[in-house]
Amino acid sequence: MEVLKKFEEAAKDPRAILDRYLREGKDVVLVAPVYTPEEIVHSFGMVPMGAWGADTQLNGSKKYFPAFICSIVQSIVELGMNGAYDGVKALIVPSLCDSLKVLGENWKYAVPDIPFIPMTYPQNRKPEYALEYTKAGYRRVISDLEKISGKGFDENALKVSIEVYNEHNRLMRETAEELRRHPEITAEERSAIYKSATFLRKEEHSALLKELLQELQAATPGREKIRIVTTGILADSPSLLQILDENGLQIVADDIAAESRQYKTDCVLEGDALTSLARKFSARDNCSVLYDVKKSRVEAIVDLAKKTDAGGVLMILTKFCDPEEFDYPLIRKACEKAGLPIVEIEVDRQMENYEQASTIIESFREMMEL
Amino acid sequence: MSEEVKKQRPAPDPNSAKYKLNMIAKKAYEDVAEAKARGELVGWCSSNFPVEIPETLGLYVCYPENQAAAIAARGGGERLCSIAEGQGYSNDICAYARVSLAYAGGAEAPEQPMPLPDYVLCCNNICNCMIKWYENLARELNIPMIMIDIPFNPDYEVGDAEVAYIRSQFLDAIKQLEEITGKKWDWDRYEEVREISGRTSRAWLEATATARYTPSPFNGFDLLNHMAVMVTARGKKEAAEAMETLLKEYEENHEKGVSTYRGEEKYRIMFEGIACWPWLRVTAHGLRDRGINMVTTIYADAFGFIYKDFDDMCRAYAKVPNAINLEYARDKRTKLCKDNHVEGLLVHTNRSCKLWSGFMYEMSRQIGEECNIPVVSFDGDQADPRNFSEAQYDTRVQGLTEIMQSNKEAL
């Protein structure tokens, strides 16, 4: 499918996308993991562009981080230091985990030319009083964006942006459902759809999704593969995805922070736009960086696997990611109890040797074939 | 073979601060065990959870971080960490959490036993790792969790929105605990606790500030032991009295020209980070053998909880070391270094603590420049002995000593 190439091109070369936006006279603001109020950036007419780091060697950033901080945040600083983000107006970082907290603090000194905008969310996000705190965080972001853009905040523009994002969420969910019917779409191709979503303007990405959906709906599904569910923060390593493809595994659903977790929750517009957006954050659930005493995510993964008829769960564990590392033993236990095969592969953005991963995936496949 | 002659240690003076402080720490565990035995509900509490809440309600709580440190200092860290790893926990996870989750899962810890909890009290002003750890405790033990979220503050000052958010949660936590335990909140009792906590804090701040004298009247490693009382028992009258005794002793030491630091104090340093509990003796000797006294740490400042009312208390809990931005954290340390005539900074890059160590490189560079002192770091861990190299520590401390020596000679 031709459209798949467009996703792949965008996923592979975010710098080309950034340069295009800059040529078009657009202001670009980087948004770090995991949840950032992109709608607010969008409402200023700016382009929110995902910054989830990259598979790159760490040099300059080592001056700021000890080795045991996750490679996503380290590589974000590395990219900032080596000029990969030159031209952007700011970086917004939500402090939802300890590594993200230190990212902002180090960024101020490592990349002084690109302003750091903090977004502080409440972890106790369900009570009504938390809404006010979330809104205070948004107002802080707004105030910084006003300074950077020279424009004022516009409530109506935010409402329009919220609709753009809701539409994109809907299309991403629809695509996920449709992809489940198409084993011929490889793990690498699937990943490019999600990865490009973080770089491209949502209007552009939505247009591509519509094109893809039309083609998928018209296409005859390929031969069945072994169905799996992935979980973790990030799953964009080409080497790892190739191993999945070589082993005939199809990702039928995911609980990946950079993938489906982004698109699960819509913003219900009720009353003023900022409160509605705050309610969207309160409504988010089943994520390792969001407090949940019940840890419903654990059962949600088992349910997702059952619902999608998956033969097993692949945990792609980003090394030094505390939130995921604490959840893993509980997820493993729940999967084992449900009779679902589960394996864990530890990855980071400097990983070069995938032999061990390959062996694990092969035995995972064998477990599911039994 | 010569017969080993053991020195008879003198009986501890029951009027000394050390004795009183040790007794408070010991009694805290005993009180919780007794409460559990008579059928009362007991809790586990994270270290910077507002102690005023359990103290005012008259709850019996113990502190997993304190337990993990005690287990690690007595040699059990690796054993419990390994048990947690066997349960599927990565060895990259905080070693206090690993020790605690292993213990909660049924592992024996004769080094420092404590009763299993009926509820947990969590506050993430020291790290978000705490949320994950306590979620797992609550789920695995099937008990309620009271969570107070005090977010990392990227700004220098604590804003009104944050105070309002924290206040609402404090009141929520009180309500939840009343429901769980059946005990009632009493504002008069809260005022008493606030008074006592202020008294304890003032004595602690003054006692640790006696490090301004040269030589310092105390060995900074004392602070690592005494801080447990500051964290857990600040609101108790006995703690206030013990801290006032400590202050009196340090002032007397100064007047007499003596110190709890044995030997000549040749160099004065600030130690940054949680103690390397499994290697406490090694790390202490590495300093003492070179005439280095660790005269201050951020703990000296961190536990001075003095506040005038409820809102001010909320603000105080948002200013604890790991909840503040680099600039505020740096300025607090710079003041301690300057006030206490510090000549070098020794940084523990603690593998267990991503938040504490995560921007320490930049912050310690800035402190070094501002105070014109050398900065040296070593790799270690608060509870997992496998993450420390004695040879590296020795080399780094030697390097620090040589720079401090040449700085002295250049004067």
Side-chain angles (χ1 to χ4, degrees):
Chain A
M1 285 176 206
E2 274 307 298
V3 65
L4 287 172
K5 289 204 180 100
K6 293 181 192 167
F7 290 114
E8 278 173 52
E9 275 166 28
K12 278 191 183 140
D13 197 354
R15 182 69 227 190
I17 301 170
L18 172 59
D19 286 336
R20 173 161 66 85
Y21 290 143
L22 295 178
R23 276 197 307 277
E24 290 168 4
K26 292 189 171 70
D27 286 343
V28 177
V29 171
L30 296 172
V31 291
V34 179
Y35 304 110
T36 316
E38 289 190 32
E39 293 91 332
I40 291 176
V41 181
H42 188 271
S43 76
F44 276 85
M46 297 169 141
V47 182
M49 198 164 183
W52 291 71
D55 294 346
T56 181
Q57 284 305 310
L58 301 175
N59 297 308
S61 56
K62 284 184 180 167
K63 195 178 149 197
Y64 294 90
F65 294 100
F68 49 82
I69 303 293
C70 99
S71 60
I72 298 175
V73 309
Q74 292 205 55
S75 68
I76 292 173
V77 167
E78 187 72 32
L79 294 172
M81 291 176 81
N82 69 23
Y85 295 138
D86 282 0
V88 306
K89 292 288 183 186
L91 168 75
I92 303 180
V93 184
S95 53
L96 285 166
C97 74
D98 294 330
S99 297
L100 287 167
K101 294 173 191 173
V102 304
L103 165 61
E105 297 309 303
N106 283 328
W107 180 272
K108 289 186 281 193
Y109 297 95
V111 195
D113 296 337
I114 301 177
F116 154 60
I117 302 178
M119 174 61 219
T120 309
Y121 284 112
Q123 282 288 351
N124 252 331
R125 63 200 180 284
K126 299 294 177 187
E128 280 293 304
Y129 56 71
L131 286 178
E132 287 308 311
Y133 188 64
T134 309
K135 285 193 312 193
Y138 289 161
R139 285 194 199 99
R140 163 73 195 268
V141 171
I142 287 170
S143 148
D144 285 0
L145 290 176
E146 284 178 334
K147 278 181 220 147
I148 289 166
S149 68
K151 293 178 193 162
F153 170 66
D154 180 345
E155 157 97 14
N156 287 325
L158 180 57
K159 285 184 177 168
V160 173
S161 299
I162 285 172
E163 297 292 3
V164 169
Y165 272 75
N166 280 348
E167 162 81 347
H168 182 255
N169 278 0
R170 187 184 61 76
L171 288 164
M172 285 300 280
R173 293 194 297 260
E174 220 177 300
T175 304
E177 293 277 334
E178 195 56 41
L179 285 172
R180 208 168 286 158
R181 293 180 48 242
H182 289 274
E184 73 279 11
I185 305 293
T186 66
E188 267 194 288
E189 288 167 336
R190 183 184 184 279
S191 166
I193 298 167
Y194 285 94
K195 195 167 179 179
S196 57
T198 67
F199 300 139
L200 289 170
R201 289 172 67 234
K202 293 295 176 275
E203 295 89 330
E204 255 181 81
H205 200 257
S206 289
L208 290 178
L209 290 174
K210 284 178 191 166
E211 212 179 307
L212 173 68
L213 279 165
Q214 269 188 351
E215 294 204 29
L216 284 174
Q217 280 153 5
T220 311
R223 198 166 53 87
E224 269 201 30
K225 292 182 182 171
I226 297 172
R227 298 159 71 88
I228 62 162
V229 163
T230 49
T231 179
I233 296 292
L234 204 60
D236 66 353
S237 154
S239 307
L240 180 62
L241 296 166
Q242 272 165 24
I243 295 170
L244 299 184
D245 288 329
E246 283 159 14
N247 279 277
L249 305 182
Q250 182 198 357
I251 301 170
V252 287
D254 76 82
D255 164 54
I256 300 287
E259 298 180 5
S260 291
R261 279 192 225 169
Q262 293 295 315
Y263 310 106
K264 284 190 304 192
T265 314
D266 291 340
C267 177
V268 181
L269 263 170
E270 271 175 6
D272 74 280
L274 220 51
T275 307
S276 304
L277 201 59
R279 286 195 193 283
K280 176 184 174 183
F281 180 71
S282 302
R284 285 198 185 276
D285 271 320
N286 297 346
C287 177
S288 53
V289 298
L290 301 177
Y291 165 56
D292 175 15
V293 67
K294 291 188 189 137
K295 296 207 103 134
S296 308
R297 175 194 177 205
V298 173
E299 279 70 36
I301 291 170
V302 174
D303 292 346
L304 183 66
K306 283 183 183 165
K307 193 184 101 187
T308 55
D309 218 8
V313 174
L314 172 64
M315 173 96 195
I316 302 170
L317 190 69
T318 299
K319 190 158 174 61
F320 301 122
C321 175
D322 275 352
E324 291 285 315
E325 287 172 347
F326 273 98
D327 283 1
Y328 173 62
L330 306 184
I331 295 168
R332 189 179 76 176
K333 209 195 274 185
C335 286
E336 283 169 356
K337 199 175 156 199
L340 265 176
I342 174 165
V343 293
E344 171 218 355
I345 290 182
E346 199 174 61
V347 294
D348 68 31
R349 284 208 170 283
Q350 288 72 51
M351 193 155 153
E352 282 173 357
N353 186 342
Y354 282 82
E355 271 174 39
Q356 200 189 356
S358 185
T359 311
I360 294 171
I361 299 288
E362 277 168 32
S363 31
F364 182 44
R365 189 197 63 212
E366 284 162 13
M367 281 157 77
M368 289 183 291
E369 281 171 341
L370 283 176
Chain B
M1 244 173 104
S2 64
E3 209 170 285
E4 196 181 323
V5 182
K6 280 192 177 173
K7 274 188 190 169
Q8 192 76 35
R9 280 197 177 184
D13 173 3
N15 294 316
S16 68
K18 187 178 174 186
Y19 180 84
K20 288 180 182 175
L21 289 163
N22 286 345
M23 285 309 287
I24 293 169
K26 188 166 166 270
K27 193 168 175 301
Y29 283 105
E30 288 168 0
D31 286 350
V32 179
E34 283 167 19
K36 182 86 177 179
R38 64 175 179 266
E40 279 206 48
L41 300 181
V42 302
W44 281 8
C45 185
S46 61
S47 66
N48 263 325
F49 188 91
V51 70
E52 289 78 358
I53 293 179
E55 189 64 34
T56 301
L57 283 165
L59 306 181
Y60 290 94
V61 294
C62 39
Y63 292 81
E65 290 152 81
N66 187 277
Q67 182 201 28
I71 290 171
R74 292 164 196 161
E78 184 172 349
R79 191 184 76 251
L80 269 84
C81 282
S82 301
I83 292 171
E85 288 154 27
Q87 293 165 355
Y89 288 103
S90 163
N91 64 5
D92 294 327
I93 284 178
C94 162
Y96 279 0
R98 273 180 285 152
V99 167
S100 178
L101 287 160
Y103 184 74
E108 297 281 328
E111 297 89 351
Q112 182 60 72
M114 66 184 196
L116 288 177
D118 301 297
Y119 56 86
V120 286
L121 307 179
C122 178
C123 182
N124 64 330
N125 51 0
I126 62 170
C127 60
N128 275 22
C129 166
M130 192 65 77
I131 303 177
K132 304 302 294 182
W133 167 6
Y134 276 55
E135 277 176 355
N136 286 21
L137 286 174
R139 184 176 157 115
E140 297 285 68
L141 298 170
N142 193 22
I143 54 174
M145 168 169 170
I146 284 77
M147 162 76 187
I148 292 182
D149 168 38
I150 299 187
F152 181 86
N153 183 11
D155 298 317
Y156 207 90
E157 301 295 336
V158 182
D160 291 343
E162 183 166 359
V163 172
Y165 172 54
I166 297 169
R167 185 204 308 124
S168 299
Q169 292 181 86
F170 277 20
L171 297 173
D172 226 357
I174 291 166
K175 198 165 148 256
Q176 290 175 64
L177 280 167
E178 283 182 332
E179 283 163 12
I180 292 167
T181 65
K183 298 197 175 176
K184 287 284 157 227
W185 180 262
D186 176 345
W187 284 101
D188 291 336
R189 173 69 187 134
Y190 166 72
E191 280 303 316
E192 274 174 33
V193 172
R194 187 179 69 80
E195 285 286 329
I196 296 167
S197 174
R199 211 180 117 196
T200 317
S201 295
R202 274 188 291 276
W204 168 260
L205 288 173
E206 283 183 50
T208 56
T210 60
R212 67 185 178 278
Y213 299 128
T214 307
S216 166
F218 65 88
N219 180 344
F221 275 79
D222 296 354
L223 304 183
L224 301 179
N225 288 323
H226 302 335
M227 72 176 194
V229 170
M230 281 310 294
V231 174
T232 62
R234 221 168 37 243
K236 292 187 195 294
K237 215 170 94 199
E238 300 81 7
E241 284 165 3
M243 286 302 167
E244 283 161 358
T245 308
L246 186 73
L247 168 61
K248 192 164 151 273
E249 286 177 5
Y250 285 174
E251 287 290 1
E252 282 171 2
N253 281 359
H254 168 61
E255 281 159 25
K256 290 182 202 156
V258 296
S259 173
T260 60
Y261 180 79
R262 310 251 175 260
E264 186 196 349
E265 181 185 277
K266 291 184 193 160
Y267 308 103
R268 300 158 64 85
I269 63 158
M270 176 169 179
F271 181 86
E272 181 58 54
I274 297 175
C276 209
W277 292 112
W279 298 95
L280 197 62
R281 192 181 291 270
V282 169
T283 48
H285 277 258
L287 300 182
R288 208 178 72 187
D289 293 349
R290 293 175 172 89
I292 299 172
N293 188 10
M294 180 255 272
V295 292
T296 193
T297 86
I298 191 62
Y299 295 128
D301 172 274
F303 300 121
F305 280 85
I306 299 169
Y307 46 86
K308 57 181 190 297
D309 54 30
F310 200 79
D311 273 9
D312 211 25
M313 179 178 77
C314 297
R315 197 170 276 111
Y317 278 99
K319 288 182 174 179
V320 301
N322 274 5
I324 56 178
N325 72 3
L326 187 149
E327 295 76 20
Y328 189 36
R330 173 200 64 204
D331 291 351
K332 276 177 176 287
R333 287 160 171 90
T334 300
K335 184 174 185 312
L336 284 169
C337 286
K338 288 184 176 170
D339 287 353
N340 298 305
H341 321 295
V342 162
E343 300 165 275
L345 177 61
L346 181 61
V347 178
H348 174 196
T349 303
N350 179 358
R351 196 181 165 103
S352 268
C353 195
K354 295 182 172 70
L355 186 49
W356 202 323
S357 300
F359 59 83
M360 189 54 69
Y361 289 178
E362 176 60 24
M363 183 167 76
S364 53
R365 269 195 295 275
Q366 293 188 17
I367 296 167
E369 279 168 25
E370 205 164 322
C371 300
N372 198 21
I373 53 170
V375 178
V376 160
S377 68
F378 69 95
D379 300 315
D381 195 285
Q382 61 203 29
D384 189 337
R386 295 167 290 185
N387 296 329
F388 174 83
S389 151
E390 202 170 338
Q392 189 215 42
Y393 179 76
D394 199 57
T395 312
R396 300 286 169 91
V397 174
Q398 181 58 29
L400 180 67
T401 313
E402 285 166 15
I403 306 170
M404 290 193 293
Q405 188 181 356
S406 73
N407 285 351
K408 265 193 202 301
E409 285 165 2
L411 284 175

